[in-house]
Amino acid sequence: MTKVRRTERMIALTKFLTERPGHLFSLNHFCELFGAAKSTLSEDIVTIRQAMEQFAMGSLETVSGAAGGVRFLPLKSQDGTCAFLHELAEKLASPERIIPGGFLYMADILFTPDLMVQVGEIFFSRFSHLSPDYIMTVETKGIPLAFMTARAFNLPLVIVRQGSKVTEGPSVSINYVTGSGKRIQSMSLPRRAIPPGARVLVIDDFMKAGGTVRGMYDLAHEVDVEIVGTGVLVGTAQPQVKLVEDYLALLILHEVDQQRKIVDIRPAL
């Protein structure tokens, strides 16, 4: 095997780790790949960790023991989070985004991978201590940010359907009342999508009164799983009392005035 120089090895090592956040790589894997001793790789890992922490790019966690190794944790700094959310709020504050009913057009933001990767890392930074087993969202617009959150956690994503699909086998379905429109709708989850007793983190794109998230809570209860936390990208300031109590909104929508063309949206953190 051709000898790999230290610079090349560290670049490749960083690439492997950051491409798969949360994945535990054994040192033996890298020893065989690079033809290097564990002591040499340990020195590389220390250098990479120091650089990541210096530039607030995340961190590396080492796990000791026979089943141990190293993994990348995509932790966002408080300063980096605040700067990103202020920038995102400015994008969403454009009057051209106003939709009748007090809503904002957000599809272009939600389907921009670079932005959703950063949102996912913020949710990871805020919720990693809860140790969820699955990420859950409801179709459809919440999927991109929930998927990137699942990537940051290195966890499976479970998608609640608004209606059942015969191609997904037996499902559990419930009816729920939307918080803002007070309309009765249904949602379902395939029985094989998630095992009983699992810990679930709920992620969604928008919350007004909280009816949809409340529906996911009720559905989770029906399939015997535990909701450990809830994160939404945008929550409205009104109504103040939501149908769910414990949740984290990254941005708060305070006002949408269609006549004056004013959008008041600010970071919550």
Side-chain angles (χ1 to χ4, degrees):
M1 179 179 177
T2 304
K3 184 175 178 60
V4 179
R5 292 179 296 180
R6 185 169 192 251
T7 302
E8 296 169 339
R9 186 176 64 243
M10 291 183 64
I11 291 172
L13 187 58
T14 304
K15 175 73 169 174
F16 278 118
L17 291 167
T18 55
E19 274 194 336
R20 299 184 66 183
H23 179 79
L24 187 64
F25 289 90
S26 71
L27 287 184
N28 288 333
H29 169 76
F30 291 127
C31 287
E32 295 174 4
L33 181 64
F34 299 123
K38 283 188 177 181
S39 58
T40 300
L41 285 170
S42 295
E43 293 175 1
D44 293 345
I45 289 169
V46 169
T47 302
I48 294 170
R49 180 192 291 118
Q50 290 173 344
M52 285 183 171
E53 292 178 353
Q54 179 181 353
F55 293 100
M57 300 170 64
S59 184
L60 297 185
E61 179 184 58
T62 53
V63 180
S64 59
V70 58
R71 58 186 161 213
F72 170 63
L73 303 178
L75 297 167
K76 295 278 285 187
S77 69
Q78 184 67 26
D79 289 344
T81 296
C82 289
F84 171 74
L85 291 179
H86 275 98
E87 178 183 338
L88 197 58
E90 287 182 10
K91 291 179 183 290
L92 290 169
S94 171
E96 286 74 23
R97 293 185 175 275
I98 296 175
I99 297 174
F103 297 98
L104 292 181
Y105 178 76
M106 296 170 49
D108 59 327
I109 299 292
L110 294 170
F111 288 89
T112 299
D114 174 63
L115 297 178
M116 292 304 101
V117 165
Q118 296 186 70
V119 172
E121 291 176 350
I122 292 172
F123 281 137
F124 173 81
S125 301
R126 294 297 182 270
F127 290 120
S128 60
H129 67 285
L130 298 176
S131 302
D133 303 311
Y134 290 82
I135 308 299
M136 177 187 286
T137 194
V138 64
E139 61 179 4
T140 57
K141 289 189 295 182
I143 292 176
L145 73 99
F147 188 77
M148 292 307 181
T149 302
R151 178 185 183 273
F153 275 90
N154 189 34
L155 292 175
L157 172 63
V158 175
I159 300 174
V160 174
R161 303 287 188 185
Q162 293 177 333
S164 59
K165 304 286 185 181
V166 295
T167 54
E168 295 182 337
S171 299
V172 175
S173 299
I174 65 162
N175 292 327
Y176 70 100
V177 180
T178 61
S180 54
K182 302 300 181 184
R183 290 175 291 116
I184 296 178
Q185 295 188 347
S186 64
M187 59 173 58
S188 66
L189 185 67
R191 289 190 177 276
R192 66 188 67 190
I194 189 167
R199 296 167 58 85
V200 173
L201 174 64
V202 171
I203 298 293
D204 207 2
D205 62 307
F206 191 88
M207 181 190 290
K208 191 169 187 180
T212 300
V213 173
R214 179 75 257 174
M216 283 193 277
Y217 277 35
D218 294 341
L219 185 58
H221 177 74
E222 289 295 321
V223 296
D224 194 25
V225 301
E226 179 186 1
I227 302 294
V228 297
T230 300
V232 296
L233 178 58
V234 178
T236 59
Q238 298 296 331
Q240 290 185 345
V241 178
K242 312 288 190 189
L243 295 177
V244 293
E245 296 179 355
D246 189 15
Y247 69 95
L248 170 68
L250 300 185
L251 300 170
I252 301 296
L253 182 60
H254 292 270
E255 181 184 12
V256 177
D257 191 316
Q258 190 171 1
Q259 289 187 335
R260 294 186 296 156
K261 296 189 179 299
I262 293 176
V263 178
D264 181 5
I265 183 169
R266 300 171 236 159
L269 301 179

